[in-house]
PDB file of all heavy atoms in Angstrom:
ATOM      1  N   SER S 176       7.530   2.736  23.542  1.00 43.00           N
ATOM      2  CA  SER S 176       6.699   3.284  22.445  1.00 43.00           C
ATOM      3  C   SER S 176       7.031   2.556  21.162  1.00 43.00           C
ATOM      4  O   SER S 176       8.063   1.981  20.848  1.00 43.00           O
ATOM      5  CB  SER S 176       7.081   4.764  22.274  1.00 43.00           C
ATOM      6  OG  SER S 176       6.733   5.454  23.407  1.00 43.00           O
ATOM      7  N   GLY S 177       6.026   2.523  20.312  1.00 47.00           N
ATOM      8  CA  GLY S 177       6.147   1.992  18.923  1.00 47.00           C
ATOM      9  C   GLY S 177       6.752   2.906  17.956  1.00 47.00           C
ATOM     10  O   GLY S 177       7.498   3.852  18.352  1.00 47.00           O
ATOM     11  N   ALA S 178       6.367   2.815  16.684  1.00 48.00           N
ATOM     12  CA  ALA S 178       6.965   3.682  15.713  1.00 48.00           C
ATOM     13  C   ALA S 178       6.546   5.142  15.949  1.00 48.00           C
ATOM     14  O   ALA S 178       5.408   5.436  16.342  1.00 48.00           O
ATOM     15  CB  ALA S 178       6.401   3.227  14.295  1.00 48.00           C
ATOM     16  N   ASN S 179       7.480   6.047  15.779  1.00 53.00           N
ATOM     17  CA  ASN S 179       7.283   7.499  15.959  1.00 53.00           C
ATOM     18  C   ASN S 179       6.791   7.895  17.339  1.00 53.00           C
ATOM     19  O   ASN S 179       6.084   8.792  17.524  1.00 53.00           O
ATOM     20  CB  ASN S 179       6.288   7.990  14.909  1.00 53.00           C
ATOM     21  CG  ASN S 179       6.823   7.779  13.482  1.00 53.00           C
ATOM     22  OD1 ASN S 179       7.994   7.911  13.242  1.00 53.00           O
ATOM     23  ND2 ASN S 179       5.888   7.481  12.536  1.00 53.00           N
ATOM     24  N   GLY S 180       7.192   7.060  18.383  1.00 59.00           N
ATOM     25  CA  GLY S 180       6.840   7.413  19.731  1.00 59.00           C
ATOM     26  C   GLY S 180       5.436   7.117  20.172  1.00 59.00           C
ATOM     27  O   GLY S 180       5.038   7.613  21.215  1.00 59.00           O
ATOM     28  N   GLU S 181       4.743   6.220  19.516  1.00 72.00           N
ATOM     29  CA  GLU S 181       3.344   5.951  19.932  1.00 72.00           C
ATOM     30  C   GLU S 181       3.348   4.701  20.797  1.00 72.00           C
ATOM     31  O   GLU S 181       3.820   3.664  20.406  1.00 72.00           O
ATOM     32  CB  GLU S 181       2.540   5.692  18.719  1.00 72.00           C
ATOM     33  CG  GLU S 181       1.061   5.404  19.014  1.00 72.00           C
ATOM     34  CD  GLU S 181       0.234   5.124  17.775  1.00 72.00           C
ATOM     35  OE1 GLU S 181       0.334   3.981  17.281  1.00 72.00           O
ATOM     36  OE2 GLU S 181      -0.510   6.004  17.307  1.00 72.00           O
ATOM     37  N   PRO S 182       2.733   4.722  22.008  1.00 78.00           N
ATOM     38  CA  PRO S 182       2.644   3.522  22.800  1.00 78.00           C
ATOM     39  C   PRO S 182       1.828   2.447  22.226  1.00 78.00           C
ATOM     40  O   PRO S 182       0.935   2.742  21.440  1.00 78.00           O
ATOM     41  CB  PRO S 182       1.903   4.102  24.144  1.00 78.00           C
ATOM     42  CG  PRO S 182       2.211   5.576  24.124  1.00 78.00           C
ATOM     43  CD  PRO S 182       2.289   5.959  22.676  1.00 78.00           C
ATOM     44  N   TRP S 183       2.120   1.223  22.529  1.00 78.00           N
ATOM     45  CA  TRP S 183       1.476   0.089  21.896  1.00 78.00           C
ATOM     46  C   TRP S 183       0.025   0.018  22.225  1.00 78.00           C
ATOM     47  O   TRP S 183      -0.838  -0.309  21.310  1.00 78.00           O
ATOM     48  CB  TRP S 183       2.104  -1.209  22.363  1.00 78.00           C
ATOM     49  CG  TRP S 183       2.015  -1.460  23.803  1.00 78.00           C
ATOM     50  CD1 TRP S 183       2.810  -1.100  24.778  1.00 78.00           C
ATOM     51  CD2 TRP S 183       0.952  -2.218  24.434  1.00 78.00           C
ATOM     52  NE1 TRP S 183       2.372  -1.483  26.050  1.00 78.00           N
ATOM     53  CE2 TRP S 183       1.191  -2.184  25.831  1.00 78.00           C
ATOM     54  CE3 TRP S 183      -0.220  -2.776  23.994  1.00 78.00           C
ATOM     55  CZ2 TRP S 183       0.381  -2.764  26.784  1.00 78.00           C
ATOM     56  CZ3 TRP S 183      -1.055  -3.405  24.983  1.00 78.00           C
ATOM     57  CH2 TRP S 183      -0.739  -3.388  26.308  1.00 78.00           C
ATOM     58  N   TRP S 184      -0.396   0.486  23.378  1.00 81.00           N
ATOM     59  CA  TRP S 184      -1.787   0.330  23.754  1.00 81.00           C
ATOM     60  C   TRP S 184      -2.669   1.399  22.960  1.00 81.00           C
ATOM     61  O   TRP S 184      -3.825   1.117  22.723  1.00 81.00           O
ATOM     62  CB  TRP S 184      -2.029   0.522  25.206  1.00 81.00           C
ATOM     63  CG  TRP S 184      -1.499   1.847  25.804  1.00 81.00           C
ATOM     64  CD1 TRP S 184      -0.264   2.030  26.276  1.00 81.00           C
ATOM     65  CD2 TRP S 184      -2.224   3.032  25.912  1.00 81.00           C
ATOM     66  NE1 TRP S 184      -0.124   3.332  26.794  1.00 81.00           N
ATOM     67  CE2 TRP S 184      -1.292   3.997  26.516  1.00 81.00           C
ATOM     68  CE3 TRP S 184      -3.510   3.397  25.653  1.00 81.00           C
ATOM     69  CZ2 TRP S 184      -1.761   5.238  26.731  1.00 81.00           C
ATOM     70  CZ3 TRP S 184      -3.906   4.770  25.905  1.00 81.00           C
ATOM     71  CH2 TRP S 184      -3.017   5.645  26.477  1.00 81.00           C
ATOM     72  N   ILE S 185      -2.069   2.480  22.547  1.00 84.00           N
ATOM     73  CA  ILE S 185      -2.765   3.451  21.722  1.00 84.00           C
ATOM     74  C   ILE S 185      -3.112   2.837  20.376  1.00 84.00           C
ATOM     75  O   ILE S 185      -4.143   3.043  19.771  1.00 84.00           O
ATOM     76  CB  ILE S 185      -2.025   4.744  21.576  1.00 84.00           C
ATOM     77  CG1 ILE S 185      -1.972   5.457  22.899  1.00 84.00           C
ATOM     78  CG2 ILE S 185      -2.564   5.638  20.459  1.00 84.00           C
ATOM     79  CD1 ILE S 185      -1.234   6.806  22.859  1.00 84.00           C
ATOM     80  N   ALA S 186      -2.113   2.053  19.820  1.00 82.00           N
ATOM     81  CA  ALA S 186      -2.370   1.430  18.491  1.00 82.00           C
ATOM     82  C   ALA S 186      -3.529   0.427  18.605  1.00 82.00           C
ATOM     83  O   ALA S 186      -4.338   0.282  17.663  1.00 82.00           O
ATOM     84  CB  ALA S 186      -1.090   0.693  18.118  1.00 82.00           C
ATOM     85  N   ILE S 187      -3.664  -0.295  19.780  1.00 88.00           N
ATOM     86  CA  ILE S 187      -4.749  -1.236  19.988  1.00 88.00           C
ATOM     87  C   ILE S 187      -6.086  -0.470  19.978  1.00 88.00           C
ATOM     88  O   ILE S 187      -7.096  -0.924  19.389  1.00 88.00           O
ATOM     89  CB  ILE S 187      -4.597  -2.051  21.237  1.00 88.00           C
ATOM     90  CG1 ILE S 187      -3.305  -2.939  21.087  1.00 88.00           C
ATOM     91  CG2 ILE S 187      -5.763  -2.882  21.526  1.00 88.00           C
ATOM     92  CD1 ILE S 187      -2.976  -3.801  22.289  1.00 88.00           C
ATOM     93  N   VAL S 188      -6.098   0.624  20.756  1.00 88.00           N
ATOM     94  CA  VAL S 188      -7.318   1.423  20.829  1.00 88.00           C
ATOM     95  C   VAL S 188      -7.759   1.959  19.423  1.00 88.00           C
ATOM     96  O   VAL S 188      -8.887   1.926  19.048  1.00 88.00           O
ATOM     97  CB  VAL S 188      -7.138   2.581  21.819  1.00 88.00           C
ATOM     98  CG1 VAL S 188      -8.331   3.527  21.812  1.00 88.00           C
ATOM     99  CG2 VAL S 188      -6.984   2.033  23.261  1.00 88.00           C
ATOM    100  N   LYS S 189      -6.715   2.472  18.697  1.00 89.00           N
ATOM    101  CA  LYS S 189      -7.011   2.978  17.358  1.00 89.00           C
ATOM    102  C   LYS S 189      -7.552   1.855  16.446  1.00 89.00           C
ATOM    103  O   LYS S 189      -8.472   2.110  15.654  1.00 89.00           O
ATOM    104  CB  LYS S 189      -5.677   3.573  16.757  1.00 89.00           C
ATOM    105  CG  LYS S 189      -5.385   4.930  17.251  1.00 89.00           C
ATOM    106  CD  LYS S 189      -4.344   5.617  16.332  1.00 89.00           C
ATOM    107  CE  LYS S 189      -3.145   4.737  16.178  1.00 89.00           C
ATOM    108  NZ  LYS S 189      -2.108   5.368  15.357  1.00 89.00           N
ATOM    109  N   ALA S 190      -6.980   0.708  16.510  1.00 88.00           N
ATOM    110  CA  ALA S 190      -7.474  -0.421  15.678  1.00 88.00           C
ATOM    111  C   ALA S 190      -8.918  -0.756  15.981  1.00 88.00           C
ATOM    112  O   ALA S 190      -9.728  -0.940  15.105  1.00 88.00           O
ATOM    113  CB  ALA S 190      -6.596  -1.637  15.945  1.00 88.00           C
ATOM    114  N   PHE S 191      -9.272  -0.725  17.260  1.00 91.00           N
ATOM    115  CA  PHE S 191     -10.667  -0.952  17.663  1.00 91.00           C
ATOM    116  C   PHE S 191     -11.599   0.118  17.118  1.00 91.00           C
ATOM    117  O   PHE S 191     -12.692  -0.134  16.584  1.00 91.00           O
ATOM    118  CB  PHE S 191     -10.714  -1.028  19.210  1.00 91.00           C
ATOM    119  CG  PHE S 191     -12.139  -1.241  19.705  1.00 91.00           C
ATOM    120  CD1 PHE S 191     -12.747  -2.480  19.676  1.00 91.00           C
ATOM    121  CD2 PHE S 191     -12.888  -0.097  20.225  1.00 91.00           C
ATOM    122  CE1 PHE S 191     -14.045  -2.609  20.244  1.00 91.00           C
ATOM    123  CE2 PHE S 191     -14.103  -0.280  20.696  1.00 91.00           C
ATOM    124  CZ  PHE S 191     -14.714  -1.488  20.639  1.00 91.00           C
ATOM    125  N   ILE S 192     -11.161   1.378  17.243  1.00 91.00           N
ATOM    126  CA  ILE S 192     -11.964   2.464  16.751  1.00 91.00           C
ATOM    127  C   ILE S 192     -12.128   2.428  15.181  1.00 91.00           C
ATOM    128  O   ILE S 192     -13.215   2.643  14.691  1.00 91.00           O
ATOM    129  CB  ILE S 192     -11.413   3.861  17.205  1.00 91.00           C
ATOM    130  CG1 ILE S 192     -11.465   3.973  18.750  1.00 91.00           C
ATOM    131  CG2 ILE S 192     -12.121   5.004  16.521  1.00 91.00           C
ATOM    132  CD1 ILE S 192     -10.732   5.198  19.302  1.00 91.00           C
ATOM    133  N   VAL S 193     -10.989   2.180  14.513  1.00 91.00           N
ATOM    134  CA  VAL S 193     -11.071   2.215  13.078  1.00 91.00           C
ATOM    135  C   VAL S 193     -11.930   1.053  12.584  1.00 91.00           C
ATOM    136  O   VAL S 193     -12.721   1.250  11.605  1.00 91.00           O
ATOM    137  CB  VAL S 193      -9.609   2.105  12.488  1.00 91.00           C
ATOM    138  CG1 VAL S 193      -9.656   1.734  11.028  1.00 91.00           C
ATOM    139  CG2 VAL S 193      -8.824   3.369  12.721  1.00 91.00           C
ATOM    140  N   ILE S 194     -11.867  -0.061  13.126  1.00 91.00           N
ATOM    141  CA  ILE S 194     -12.640  -1.205  12.771  1.00 91.00           C
ATOM    142  C   ILE S 194     -14.127  -0.846  12.862  1.00 91.00           C
ATOM    143  O   ILE S 194     -14.984  -1.092  11.989  1.00 91.00           O
ATOM    144  CB  ILE S 194     -12.303  -2.471  13.557  1.00 91.00           C
ATOM    145  CG1 ILE S 194     -10.999  -3.080  13.084  1.00 91.00           C
ATOM    146  CG2 ILE S 194     -13.392  -3.550  13.428  1.00 91.00           C
ATOM    147  CD1 ILE S 194     -10.480  -4.230  13.909  1.00 91.00           C
ATOM    148  N   ASN S 195     -14.527  -0.321  14.018  1.00 93.00           N
ATOM    149  CA  ASN S 195     -15.922   0.014  14.206  1.00 93.00           C
ATOM    150  C   ASN S 195     -16.382   1.213  13.320  1.00 93.00           C
ATOM    151  O   ASN S 195     -17.537   1.154  12.862  1.00 93.00           O
ATOM    152  CB  ASN S 195     -16.121   0.436  15.764  1.00 93.00           C
ATOM    153  CG  ASN S 195     -16.213  -0.768  16.623  1.00 93.00           C
ATOM    154  OD1 ASN S 195     -17.269  -1.397  16.794  1.00 93.00           O
ATOM    155  ND2 ASN S 195     -15.090  -1.110  17.218  1.00 93.00           N
ATOM    156  N   LEU S 196     -15.464   2.108  13.027  1.00 93.00           N
ATOM    157  CA  LEU S 196     -15.899   3.200  12.094  1.00 93.00           C
ATOM    158  C   LEU S 196     -16.146   2.631  10.641  1.00 93.00           C
ATOM    159  O   LEU S 196     -16.994   3.016   9.943  1.00 93.00           O
ATOM    160  CB  LEU S 196     -14.790   4.309  12.079  1.00 93.00           C
ATOM    161  CG  LEU S 196     -14.752   5.195  13.277  1.00 93.00           C
ATOM    162  CD1 LEU S 196     -13.525   6.181  13.142  1.00 93.00           C
ATOM    163  CD2 LEU S 196     -16.057   5.966  13.431  1.00 93.00           C
ATOM    164  N   VAL S 197     -15.229   1.666  10.302  1.00 93.00           N
ATOM    165  CA  VAL S 197     -15.444   1.026   8.957  1.00 93.00           C
ATOM    166  C   VAL S 197     -16.702   0.230   8.921  1.00 93.00           C
ATOM    167  O   VAL S 197     -17.466   0.323   7.908  1.00 93.00           O
ATOM    168  CB  VAL S 197     -14.261   0.099   8.644  1.00 93.00           C
ATOM    169  CG1 VAL S 197     -14.514  -0.726   7.449  1.00 93.00           C
ATOM    170  CG2 VAL S 197     -12.958   0.881   8.413  1.00 93.00           C
ATOM    171  N   LEU S 198     -17.054  -0.433  10.031  1.00 92.00           N
ATOM    172  CA  LEU S 198     -18.365  -1.140  10.077  1.00 92.00           C
ATOM    173  C   LEU S 198     -19.556  -0.213  10.010  1.00 92.00           C
ATOM    174  O   LEU S 198     -20.539  -0.548   9.363  1.00 92.00           O
ATOM    175  CB  LEU S 198     -18.359  -2.019  11.406  1.00 92.00           C
ATOM    176  CG  LEU S 198     -17.489  -3.229  11.424  1.00 92.00           C
ATOM    177  CD1 LEU S 198     -17.542  -3.885  12.802  1.00 92.00           C
ATOM    178  CD2 LEU S 198     -17.761  -4.199  10.345  1.00 92.00           C
ATOM    179  N   VAL S 199     -19.444   0.889  10.743  1.00 94.00           N
ATOM    180  CA  VAL S 199     -20.600   1.859  10.631  1.00 94.00           C
ATOM    181  C   VAL S 199     -20.731   2.448   9.259  1.00 94.00           C
ATOM    182  O   VAL S 199     -21.801   2.618   8.724  1.00 94.00           O
ATOM    183  CB  VAL S 199     -20.338   3.016  11.693  1.00 94.00           C
ATOM    184  CG1 VAL S 199     -21.380   4.203  11.406  1.00 94.00           C
ATOM    185  CG2 VAL S 199     -20.483   2.466  13.096  1.00 94.00           C
ATOM    186  N   THR S 200     -19.520   2.736   8.610  1.00 94.00           N
ATOM    187  CA  THR S 200     -19.535   3.233   7.247  1.00 94.00           C
ATOM    188  C   THR S 200     -20.146   2.191   6.340  1.00 94.00           C
ATOM    189  O   THR S 200     -20.978   2.561   5.398  1.00 94.00           O
ATOM    190  CB  THR S 200     -18.100   3.563   6.783  1.00 94.00           C
ATOM    191  OG1 THR S 200     -17.518   4.465   7.678  1.00 94.00           O
ATOM    192  CG2 THR S 200     -18.125   4.168   5.424  1.00 94.00           C
ATOM    193  N   PHE S 201     -19.807   0.955   6.479  1.00 94.00           N
ATOM    194  CA  PHE S 201     -20.453  -0.139   5.655  1.00 94.00           C
ATOM    195  C   PHE S 201     -21.911  -0.133   5.839  1.00 94.00           C
ATOM    196  O   PHE S 201     -22.697  -0.207   4.851  1.00 94.00           O
ATOM    197  CB  PHE S 201     -19.794  -1.457   6.047  1.00 94.00           C
ATOM    198  CG  PHE S 201     -20.746  -2.619   6.032  1.00 94.00           C
ATOM    199  CD1 PHE S 201     -21.301  -3.120   4.902  1.00 94.00           C
ATOM    200  CD2 PHE S 201     -21.172  -3.237   7.249  1.00 94.00           C
ATOM    201  CE1 PHE S 201     -22.226  -4.164   4.834  1.00 94.00           C
ATOM    202  CE2 PHE S 201     -22.083  -4.260   7.221  1.00 94.00           C
ATOM    203  CZ  PHE S 201     -22.586  -4.702   6.044  1.00 94.00           C
ATOM    204  N   ALA S 202     -22.377  -0.049   7.104  1.00 93.00           N
ATOM    205  CA  ALA S 202     -23.811  -0.144   7.349  1.00 93.00           C
ATOM    206  C   ALA S 202     -24.566   0.945   6.665  1.00 93.00           C
ATOM    207  O   ALA S 202     -25.636   0.733   5.999  1.00 93.00           O
ATOM    208  CB  ALA S 202     -24.108  -0.132   8.860  1.00 93.00           C
ATOM    209  N   TYR S 203     -24.092   2.205   6.737  1.00 94.00           N
ATOM    210  CA  TYR S 203     -24.827   3.305   6.198  1.00 94.00           C
ATOM    211  C   TYR S 203     -24.445   3.517   4.703  1.00 94.00           C
ATOM    212  O   TYR S 203     -25.207   4.214   3.972  1.00 94.00           O
ATOM    213  CB  TYR S 203     -24.584   4.584   7.024  1.00 94.00           C
ATOM    214  CG  TYR S 203     -25.442   4.588   8.193  1.00 94.00           C
ATOM    215  CD1 TYR S 203     -24.985   4.057   9.414  1.00 94.00           C
ATOM    216  CD2 TYR S 203     -26.809   5.055   8.100  1.00 94.00           C
ATOM    217  CE1 TYR S 203     -25.877   4.070  10.511  1.00 94.00           C
ATOM    218  CE2 TYR S 203     -27.642   5.054   9.195  1.00 94.00           C
ATOM    219  CZ  TYR S 203     -27.143   4.516  10.405  1.00 94.00           C
ATOM    220  OH  TYR S 203     -28.052   4.456  11.499  1.00 94.00           O
ATOM    221  N   LEU S 204     -23.425   2.822   4.215  1.00 95.00           N
ATOM    222  CA  LEU S 204     -23.213   2.786   2.808  1.00 95.00           C
ATOM    223  C   LEU S 204     -24.286   2.067   2.109  1.00 95.00           C
ATOM    224  O   LEU S 204     -24.706   2.428   1.000  1.00 95.00           O
ATOM    225  CB  LEU S 204     -21.826   2.257   2.466  1.00 95.00           C
ATOM    226  CG  LEU S 204     -21.436   2.100   0.975  1.00 95.00           C
ATOM    227  CD1 LEU S 204     -21.468   3.493   0.345  1.00 95.00           C
ATOM    228  CD2 LEU S 204     -20.117   1.417   0.819  1.00 95.00           C
ATOM    229  N   THR S 205     -24.750   0.963   2.709  1.00 92.00           N
ATOM    230  CA  THR S 205     -25.810   0.176   2.133  1.00 92.00           C
ATOM    231  C   THR S 205     -27.089   1.093   1.960  1.00 92.00           C
ATOM    232  O   THR S 205     -27.862   1.029   1.026  1.00 92.00           O
ATOM    233  CB  THR S 205     -26.160  -1.044   2.903  1.00 92.00           C
ATOM    234  OG1 THR S 205     -26.546  -0.717   4.283  1.00 92.00           O
ATOM    235  CG2 THR S 205     -24.897  -1.905   3.017  1.00 92.00           C
ATOM    236  N   LEU S 206     -27.352   1.894   3.060  1.00 94.00           N
ATOM    237  CA  LEU S 206     -28.557   2.792   3.029  1.00 94.00           C
ATOM    238  C   LEU S 206     -28.343   3.869   1.997  1.00 94.00           C
ATOM    239  O   LEU S 206     -29.225   4.173   1.112  1.00 94.00           O
ATOM    240  CB  LEU S 206     -28.714   3.464   4.398  1.00 94.00           C
ATOM    241  CG  LEU S 206     -29.790   4.483   4.486  1.00 94.00           C
ATOM    242  CD1 LEU S 206     -31.171   3.931   4.122  1.00 94.00           C
ATOM    243  CD2 LEU S 206     -29.787   5.163   5.844  1.00 94.00           C
ATOM    244  N   ALA S 207     -27.170   4.507   1.973  1.00 94.00           N
ATOM    245  CA  ALA S 207     -26.884   5.502   0.948  1.00 94.00           C
ATOM    246  C   ALA S 207     -26.965   5.014  -0.471  1.00 94.00           C
ATOM    247  O   ALA S 207     -27.548   5.675  -1.366  1.00 94.00           O
ATOM    248  CB  ALA S 207     -25.472   6.117   1.179  1.00 94.00           C
ATOM    249  N   GLU S 208     -26.507   3.784  -0.678  1.00 94.00           N
ATOM    250  CA  GLU S 208     -26.589   3.288  -2.073  1.00 94.00           C
ATOM    251  C   GLU S 208     -28.011   3.058  -2.478  1.00 94.00           C
ATOM    252  O   GLU S 208     -28.393   3.436  -3.580  1.00 94.00           O
ATOM    253  CB  GLU S 208     -25.840   1.870  -2.137  1.00 94.00           C
ATOM    254  CG  GLU S 208     -25.842   1.245  -3.482  1.00 94.00           C
ATOM    255  CD  GLU S 208     -25.029   0.042  -3.501  1.00 94.00           C
ATOM    256  OE1 GLU S 208     -25.116  -0.811  -2.569  1.00 94.00           O
ATOM    257  OE2 GLU S 208     -24.240  -0.164  -4.509  1.00 94.00           O
ATOM    258  N   ARG S 209     -28.827   2.523  -1.626  1.00 92.00           N
ATOM    259  CA  ARG S 209     -30.239   2.282  -1.949  1.00 92.00           C
ATOM    260  C   ARG S 209     -31.001   3.591  -2.123  1.00 92.00           C
ATOM    261  O   ARG S 209     -31.874   3.760  -3.040  1.00 92.00           O
ATOM    262  CB  ARG S 209     -30.912   1.494  -0.896  1.00 92.00           C
ATOM    263  CG  ARG S 209     -30.304   0.058  -0.879  1.00 92.00           C
ATOM    264  CD  ARG S 209     -30.598  -0.614   0.498  1.00 92.00           C
ATOM    265  NE  ARG S 209     -32.003  -1.045   0.612  1.00 92.00           N
ATOM    266  CZ  ARG S 209     -32.540  -1.651   1.715  1.00 92.00           C
ATOM    267  NH1 ARG S 209     -31.672  -1.913   2.729  1.00 92.00           N
ATOM    268  NH2 ARG S 209     -33.785  -2.000   1.749  1.00 92.00           N
ATOM    269  N   LYS S 210     -30.685   4.655  -1.331  1.00 93.00           N
ATOM    270  CA  LYS S 210     -31.277   5.955  -1.478  1.00 93.00           C
ATOM    271  C   LYS S 210     -30.909   6.584  -2.762  1.00 93.00           C
ATOM    272  O   LYS S 210     -31.687   7.166  -3.533  1.00 93.00           O
ATOM    273  CB  LYS S 210     -30.864   6.805  -0.260  1.00 93.00           C
ATOM    274  CG  LYS S 210     -31.561   6.545   1.015  1.00 93.00           C
ATOM    275  CD  LYS S 210     -32.973   7.168   1.007  1.00 93.00           C
ATOM    276  CE  LYS S 210     -33.584   7.079   2.448  1.00 93.00           C
ATOM    277  NZ  LYS S 210     -34.942   7.605   2.432  1.00 93.00           N
ATOM    278  N   ILE S 211     -29.559   6.582  -3.116  1.00 94.00           N
ATOM    279  CA  ILE S 211     -29.020   7.215  -4.306  1.00 94.00           C
ATOM    280  C   ILE S 211     -29.579   6.515  -5.541  1.00 94.00           C
ATOM    281  O   ILE S 211     -30.017   7.212  -6.498  1.00 94.00           O
ATOM    282  CB  ILE S 211     -27.525   7.253  -4.301  1.00 94.00           C
ATOM    283  CG1 ILE S 211     -26.987   8.172  -3.187  1.00 94.00           C
ATOM    284  CG2 ILE S 211     -27.006   7.759  -5.660  1.00 94.00           C
ATOM    285  CD1 ILE S 211     -25.520   8.029  -2.934  1.00 94.00           C
ATOM    286  N   MET S 212     -29.615   5.231  -5.503  1.00 92.00           N
ATOM    287  CA  MET S 212     -30.116   4.515  -6.672  1.00 92.00           C
ATOM    288  C   MET S 212     -31.601   4.744  -6.830  1.00 92.00           C
ATOM    289  O   MET S 212     -32.104   4.872  -7.948  1.00 92.00           O
ATOM    290  CB  MET S 212     -29.883   2.965  -6.484  1.00 92.00           C
ATOM    291  CG  MET S 212     -28.424   2.562  -6.584  1.00 92.00           C
ATOM    292  SD  MET S 212     -28.171   0.796  -6.328  1.00 92.00           S
ATOM    293  CE  MET S 212     -29.054   0.115  -7.693  1.00 92.00           C
TER     294      MET S 212
END
Side-chain angles (χ1 to χ4, degrees):
S176 298
N179 299 324
E181 181 183 80
W183 63 271
W184 57 270
I185 290 182
I187 295 177
V188 172
K189 281 195 306 181
F191 177 79
I192 293 174
V193 168
I194 287 175
N195 283 277
L196 287 177
V197 171
L198 290 175
V199 171
T200 304
F201 143 69
Y203 280 92
L204 178 61
T205 61
L206 174 64
E208 182 174 44
R209 294 161 73 182
K210 285 282 191 180
I211 294 170
M212 291 178 66

